[in-house]
Amino acid sequence: MSETGQAPHGVEEAAARLLAAAADRVPCAPVRDLIGTGDTGAAYAVQQRVTAARTARGARVVGHKIGLTSPAVQRQLGVDQPDFGVLLDDMGYADGEPVPYASVLQPRVEAEIAFVLGADLAEGPLDLARVRAAVDHAVPALEICGSRIAGWDITLSDTVADNASAGAFVLGREARTLAEFEPRTAVMEMSVDGRNVSEGTGADCLGDPLTAVLWLARTAREVGDPLRAGHVVLSGALGPMRPLTPGAHVTAVIGGLGTVTTVIGEGTA
């Protein structure tokens, strides 16, 4: 926000552009021409307006996603720092449930560790010990990333404004507490149609997925959107994301945590 309390020039236009792209299912031009490339505050303001429009239509916030945590994904998209977006209930799918291809624009998939919080991370000092204590359990997850921006032609401000390129997510059935499972040393393999397309470890996610959650807890609180008990946190890719086509079968195996799978359906959202 500006010193006068007014939204920066271009924020409303950028939000309208992204909402129209989502509604029409037609990717739009980047929004950096409206908000610039260096003002992440403006970009998060756009994200908040898009989220507010979706919740006004009945969607419910169920968590957050951390993006751009893997060096491989940062290299793919030409950025050098994480970002975060909001998870809504209409984005979530159960293990094995089809995700309609048309529900996510320009879909790409990545494998992640998802944490379900048992306590708020809103007040007081935030450190790694507190994050670990706040986690109720972890599950394997797939994130179907999507970009409302044509050709994934994004800078950091574009993807932040576009809800960190969130599309859909699939949560596995197997849950582990942090007494049973150590995220940093987990080994991930992801396959599409039976072919191994991505691999990595927990250490590929900012050195430790829990470090990513700590970054999120601090950053989300700074923008007035703290993490709450019951929320799901997608902690970031453990390896490179891969594009998807209709009919693709995706499986990720995360050592010590379990397996999660989905199929990309032919239908609409």
Side-chain angles (χ1 to χ4, degrees):
M1 299 294 286
S2 69
E3 292 181 1
T4 63
Q6 300 298 310
H9 177 68
V11 166
E12 296 293 350
E13 292 175 77
R17 183 182 293 179
L18 291 167
L19 286 164
D24 298 340
R25 302 191 191 285
V26 177
C28 63
V31 296
R32 55 185 177 268
D33 64 313
L34 300 172
I35 60 172
T37 58
D39 188 350
T40 55
Y44 280 113
V46 175
Q47 182 187 122
Q48 289 169 345
R49 281 161 175 75
V50 172
T51 299
R54 293 183 65 180
T55 56
R57 294 196 295 265
R60 181 172 56 87
V61 175
V62 295
H64 292 77
K65 63 150 288 183
I66 311 167
L68 309 177
T69 56
S70 162
V73 174
Q74 289 183 1
R75 286 192 297 270
Q76 279 184 308
L77 299 182
V79 300
D80 61 0
Q81 59 182 294
D83 66 350
F84 79 86
V86 175
L87 300 178
L88 301 170
D89 60 343
D90 59 5
M91 298 163 58
Y93 294 83
D95 186 28
E97 187 178 2
V99 177
Y101 180 79
S103 68
V104 181
L105 286 177
Q106 306 178 106
R108 299 177 177 183
V109 65
E110 56 191 30
E112 309 191 10
I113 297 168
F115 298 101
V116 178
L117 299 182
D120 291 353
L121 289 170
E123 307 293 337
L126 293 174
D127 58 18
L128 203 56
R130 185 171 173 203
V131 166
R132 182 176 282 272
V135 171
D136 184 77
H137 62 272
V139 297
L142 294 169
E143 183 182 0
I144 315 299
C145 302
S147 182
R148 270 59 58 175
I149 294 169
W152 280 83
D153 178 15
I154 58 174
T155 63
L156 181 63
S157 63
D158 292 304
T159 187
V160 167
D162 190 24
N163 198 27
S165 302
F169 64 97
V170 183
L171 299 182
R173 301 174 190 274
E174 302 169 73
R176 299 285 186 273
T177 68
L178 295 184
E180 301 171 303
F181 166 74
E182 182 51 55
R184 186 181 63 80
T185 56
V187 175
M188 177 278 294
E189 293 185 353
M190 182 177 73
S191 64
V192 176
D193 295 329
R195 183 171 64 90
N196 191 325
V197 297
S198 183
E199 55 187 34
T201 71
D204 292 319
C205 177
L206 286 188
D208 184 338
L210 292 173
T211 298
V213 179
L214 175 59
W215 175 88
L216 171 65
R218 290 172 172 170
T219 307
R221 186 170 70 175
E222 287 174 3
V223 301
D225 187 22
L227 307 187
R228 298 296 184 184
H231 276 188
V232 174
V233 175
L234 297 181
S235 58
L238 303 183
M241 66 169 76
R242 296 302 182 199
L244 289 171
T245 56
H249 286 73
V250 184
T251 299
V253 180
I254 299 177
L257 188 56
T259 300
V260 57
T261 187
T262 191
V263 59
I264 307 304
E266 306 279 351
T268 60

